[in-house]
Amino acid sequence: MKKEEIELLLSLLANPKKIAIIPHRSPDGDAMGSALALFHFLKKEGHLPVVIAPNEFPVFLAWLPASDQVVIYETEPDSAFNILKECELIFVVDFNALSRTGEMEKALNLIKVPFIMVDHHQSPDDFAAVTYSDTAFGSTCEMIYNLISFMNKTDVIDIEIATCIYTGILTDSGSFRFPKTTGRTHRIVAELIDIGVENTKIPTLLFDNCSYASVQLLGRALQNMVVLPEYKTAYISLSQKELDEFNYQKGDTEGIVNYGLSIKGINLAAIFIENKDEKIIKISLRSQGDFDVNQFARNHFNGGGHINASGGKSYDSLDETISKFKQLITSIKI
């Protein structure tokens, strides 16, 4: 982060302000962790922060401190918009284009206050007064720690802030397995543990807290997996009927796409999930090696993200979307 940007950030935060903190639509552990870490930090600094999520976050994140205070735009649009109109500053975390907030984008475009972006995805849009964007980091939560450090405020980090930061680092690093997990990542985590983060309890809350129905849904997803060894690809599909059969709740399909990459010789994994209400097919893509799923999603499926982890969507039917995907992978090197 450039010196002049740090100075501008400090000047924007010099006096108590009403501040909105916005994660992306369908927020994951890193989005909610970074938003709530900022919430607790700004509150300790004398500000009046509010986290406004575009839609509901997964139930497995409901234990995060102050998650019960998050305003959901999708269910309370008028109330959320009134909060936004009163805000003097807006933080956007873990995304870099307002379109990633879905319907909330219209409201955000009407708000004429400074935006501060903290994000680790590629190709940020130019809408923020302060942009802290760096694809070298494996999580936005690690960047939130850095942001606090840039302001010489790490002594403010308490157990609540540390817990939120740890959660985002843990989830977006694939439990510290992904390539962007560095020595500094581990040193930050060590500091968080020294503060009191329950590093043996949090993974259980995140990953070993499933309903019976969600485990059954995982079984169906694995039954549906198709492996195309000649293209080093595996994909999974789940129809709306199958989601309904297993009482799908938000978050139940989190991480399922990664099972494809656990198969020897597979470099590209995808999952296609039908959403009848939104009339889309939600797509998650994962890769290992040099295949860029960010560019693949941008070019073909209205999405983007990271080189090895991206998402997208299709307005075609489930069968048509899968057919398009299969045609595309026959003509590229994976």
Side-chain angles (χ1 to χ4, degrees), residues 164-181:
C164 294
I165 292 175
Y166 178 86
T167 297
I169 293 176
L170 177 68
T171 53
D172 247 32
S173 69
S175 299
F176 311 111
R177 293 182 295 116
F178 294 161
K180 291 180 182 179
T181 304

Side-chain angles (χ1 to χ4, degrees), residues 63-79:
W63 58 271
L64 283 168
S67 63
D68 58 337
Q69 298 178 44
V70 175
V71 176
I72 306 300
Y73 181 85
E74 190 171 77
T75 56
E76 306 175 71
D78 293 337
S79 176

Side-chain angles (χ1 to χ4, degrees), residues 123-137:
S123 305
D125 283 356
D126 184 19
F127 64 87
V130 176
T131 298
Y132 178 28
S133 173
D134 195 331
T135 60
F137 291 99

Side-chain angles (χ1 to χ4, degrees), residues 163-318:
T163 294
C164 294
I165 292 175
Y166 178 86
T167 297
I169 293 176
L170 177 68
T171 53
D172 247 32
S173 69
S175 299
F176 311 111
R177 293 182 295 116
F178 294 161
K180 291 180 182 179
T181 304
T182 64
R184 175 165 168 77
T185 306
H186 284 291
R187 285 189 287 273
I188 290 170
V189 166
E191 290 185 29
L192 301 177
I193 292 171
D194 288 344
I195 290 169
V197 164
E198 297 182 283
N199 61 301
T200 58
K201 181 179 178 182
I202 291 174
T204 298
L205 291 169
L206 290 170
F207 308 125
D208 301 326
N209 200 16
C210 303
S211 67
Y212 177 57
S214 68
V215 175
Q216 288 184 305
L217 179 62
L218 170 60
R220 176 60 59 82
L222 295 179
Q223 286 181 321
N224 290 352
M225 182 185 290
V226 176
V227 178
L228 303 171
E230 65 272 33
Y231 302 115
K232 300 179 181 179
T233 296
Y235 69 87
I236 292 169
S237 63
L238 286 168
S239 68
Q240 186 68 61
K241 182 179 179 181
E242 288 171 315
L243 296 176
D244 295 342
E245 180 183 350
F246 296 106
N247 301 310
Y248 167 78
Q249 300 294 315
K250 184 174 286 293
D252 283 352
T253 57
E254 191 80 19
I256 291 179
V257 64
N258 295 314
Y259 280 89
L261 290 184
S262 69
I263 299 171
K264 184 177 181 180
I266 297 301
N267 290 339
L268 171 62
I271 188 169
F272 304 93
I273 302 171
E274 187 175 30
N275 187 319
K276 287 282 191 182
D277 290 339
E278 297 184 22
K279 298 179 181 178
I280 63 169
I281 307 301
K282 181 184 175 184
I283 304 166
S284 290
L285 300 162
R286 300 290 184 271
S287 68
Q288 51 192 3
D290 297 330
F291 184 68
D292 187 345
V293 290
N294 166 63
Q295 202 58 51
F296 184 74
R298 285 178 180 271
N299 290 345
H300 305 292
F301 291 110
N302 309 289
H306 304 286
I307 291 175
N308 297 120
S310 290
K313 59 188 174 182
S314 168
Y315 298 100
D316 297 326
S317 70
L318 184 58

